[in-house]
Amino acid sequence: GLKEANLYMKDLICDEFQNKVNDLLIRHHSILDVLSKLAESTARINRGVCKSVNDCGCLSIEAKKIPVPKDCESFDELKQYLDAHVRGKLCPNCEEVIINELGKSLFYTAALCNILGLNLYDVFIHEYKKASALGVFNLT
């Protein structure tokens, strides 16, 4: 039905993206290049977030230990105490920078999948199933 068609479209989009990466990746085709570019893209994501705080100021970070009552009995109850420590909202410029950097990370993740003979959509599905089955025990 509709759910299967939706999954097929997501699989198709993911496969098309992975194939496009394979077509475009010529300069950094060695696994060593891909691994170093993937690590670099992660560092650039971190840098983009830091610049949104330090240079732009659209975000701020208010980090502190989160007090959780000792009588907190469930994961759902615990969720009400969680805090990402981020205040504000990305401005359009910072959002564009971070989206671009996340895109590069996805690009090199797909490239790594290509080199290792893995299907990117299968990796997503594997992680989704693991998260769904293990729930809170999947915390890594």
Side-chain angles (χ1 to χ4, degrees):
L2 185 58
K3 187 174 181 180
E4 290 81 17
N6 220 0
L7 285 175
Y8 174 74
M9 287 303 296
K10 291 176 183 175
D11 183 17
L12 186 62
I13 291 168
C14 206
D15 285 349
E16 286 181 16
F17 176 70
Q18 190 169 356
N19 289 335
K20 182 58 71 177
V21 168
N22 194 51
D23 291 345
L24 295 174
L25 194 66
I26 294 170
R27 189 167 153 224
H28 300 290
H29 198 72
S30 162
I31 192 165
L32 297 176
D33 286 335
V34 170
L35 288 171
S36 65
K37 293 299 275 184
L38 184 57
E40 178 186 4
S41 69
T42 301
R44 293 181 64 86
I45 293 166
N46 292 342
R47 180 74 177 137
V49 172
C50 290
K51 287 180 76 89
S52 71
V53 173
N54 292 333
D55 292 350
C56 177
C58 61
L59 294 182
S60 64
I61 298 172
E62 186 180 312
K64 60 185 177 199
K65 182 177 175 162
I66 300 170
V68 178
K70 293 187 186 290
D71 62 348
C72 186
E73 296 183 11
S74 70
F75 185 66
D76 286 335
E77 188 181 343
L78 175 63
K79 282 183 177 181
Q80 70 182 337
Y81 298 102
L82 300 179
D83 183 355
H85 302 126
V86 176
R87 305 295 180 262
K89 184 178 184 315
L90 289 171
C91 71
N93 183 58
C94 291
E95 181 178 286
E96 181 180 345
V97 167
I98 292 172
I99 286 173
N100 286 334
E101 297 305 339
L102 286 168
K104 288 176 189 172
S105 181
L106 289 173
F107 182 93
Y108 287 107
T109 298
L112 184 59
C113 286
N114 287 337
I115 290 172
L116 298 175
L118 301 172
N119 181 280
L120 183 60
Y121 185 73
D122 292 344
V123 173
F124 285 137
I125 293 299
H126 175 79
E127 190 61 24
Y128 172 76
K129 286 179 179 177
K130 188 171 85 172
S132 296
L134 296 176
V136 65
F137 300 105
N138 189 44
L139 303 174
T140 56

